[in-house]
Amino acid sequence: MMTLPKPRVKVVLALLMIILGVLPKNLIIIGGNLIIGTTLLFIYRIPFHAFIKQLKPIAFFMLFTFLFFPLYEGGHGWIKALQYSGRLLFVAQMLTFVFYRLGVPAFLQVLAEIRIPSIFIELMMFTLRFMDVFRTEVRQMLLSLRSRGFYTGNWFQVKKYWVLGGLLGSLLLRSFQRSERIYLGMLSKGYKGERTSLKPEMIPRTEWLHCVLWVGCVLCLFFVGGKQ
């Protein structure tokens, strides 16, 4: 067992492995990537519940592939569903490795340290921030509806879905207005779209060597599969 590497090594390693892991179409190569990802999580002692946490948001998309592709493409649809699901599982493994004991602010700071363009970092930051804004607005509006006696029930009723459709439009307007207020508030506090750079932490060469070894395993598997 080994201790987790520094955040910069984790992010660089995960980004490279995700890029290489979503390219192959051979199921044997995808399975090999999943074995490498599982070994990575086991060696760095990352608990299984952390992987389940990252898997929950994409479980629906994995189920959708097994419903959609067999109906759309017939017998070959199962192969394509396995391809997409295997890639998503590998991405979930890498995201588990990255975000275990690493918060989103630290992740964004690492992206700035490895010279990712600031526009992409700010877009990610605002996307995550406004997802919370939408979630808060939805919770408040549903609470307001329930306080007025609104109940969806178990059967389809046009009237109730008409109310929910109007709720969706109101949600869009309220969230847009609130996002404008947040942005104006940030501008009034001196926001310029630039992140303050901190002094990068010194990283031992052995950790970069681990990064090269893990990426090398996925890279060798990728090229071996490409020659078959």
Side-chain angles (χ1 to χ4, degrees):
M1 301 292 182
M2 293 183 292
T3 58
L4 286 170
K6 303 294 183 184
R8 203 188 323 167
V9 179
K10 289 176 63 177
V11 173
V12 172
L13 171 60
L15 289 178
L16 291 176
M17 292 186 73
I18 286 175
I19 293 172
L20 294 173
V22 299
L23 293 177
K25 297 182 178 179
N26 191 320
L27 291 178
I28 298 177
I29 306 303
I30 295 174
N33 289 337
L34 292 175
I35 294 174
I36 293 174
T38 304
T39 306
L40 178 71
L41 299 181
F42 176 75
I43 287 179
Y44 287 108
R45 295 179 288 185
I46 298 177
F48 184 70
H49 67 81
F51 172 67
I52 295 299
K53 182 179 178 181
Q54 296 294 335
L55 186 61
K56 285 181 179 179
I58 65 174
F60 171 78
F61 296 100
M62 294 176 60
L63 178 62
F64 178 76
T65 60
F66 284 99
L67 295 175
F68 174 75
F69 286 115
L71 292 174
Y72 183 72
E73 298 192 4
H76 297 287
W78 291 103
I79 298 177
K80 184 164 290 188
L82 287 172
Q83 291 173 346
Y84 278 87
S85 298
R87 294 169 186 168
L88 285 173
L89 277 177
F90 183 71
V91 171
Q93 289 177 335
M94 293 302 101
L95 292 178
T96 304
F97 173 71
V98 170
F99 289 106
Y100 181 64
R101 295 182 180 177
L102 181 69
V104 173
F107 172 73
L108 296 177
Q109 182 60 42
V110 171
L111 293 182
E113 291 177 3
I114 61 177
R115 305 296 176 86
I116 299 295
S118 60
I119 182 64
F120 296 111
I121 301 175
E122 296 301 310
L123 282 175
M124 283 188 283
M125 184 186 70
F126 278 112
T127 300
L128 294 173
R129 177 67 183 90
F130 291 132
M131 284 174 62
D132 290 333
V133 172
F134 271 91
R135 191 179 298 114
T136 302
E137 293 291 340
V138 169
R139 195 176 296 118
Q140 291 177 352
M141 296 180 74
L142 287 178
L143 181 62
S144 176
L145 279 177
R146 293 192 184 108
S147 67
R148 295 182 175 93
F150 179 78
Y151 178 65
T152 56
N154 298 324
W155 302 95
F156 177 82
Q157 297 181 13
V158 176
K159 182 179 178 181
K160 291 183 178 181
Y161 282 89
W162 183 271
V163 174
L164 291 176
L167 177 70
L168 185 62
S170 300
L171 172 65
L172 180 62
L173 292 176
R174 289 183 59 175
S175 300
F176 181 73
Q177 292 171 356
R178 187 170 176 184
S179 65
E180 280 191 332
R181 293 197 300 270
I182 292 174
Y183 179 66
L184 292 176
M186 294 176 66
L187 289 179
S188 66
K189 295 176 182 178
Y191 173 76
K192 297 180 180 179
E194 299 176 357
R195 300 183 65 85
T196 56
S197 58
L198 302 177
K199 186 177 180 180
E201 184 181 7
M202 296 298 296
I203 299 176
R205 293 183 178 180
T206 54
E207 293 196 2
W208 287 116
L209 179 61
H210 290 167
C211 177
V212 172
L213 290 175
W214 285 112
V215 174
C217 291
V218 179
L219 194 61
C220 289
L221 194 61
F222 176 76
F223 281 114
V224 169
K227 292 180 181 180
Q228 293 179 353

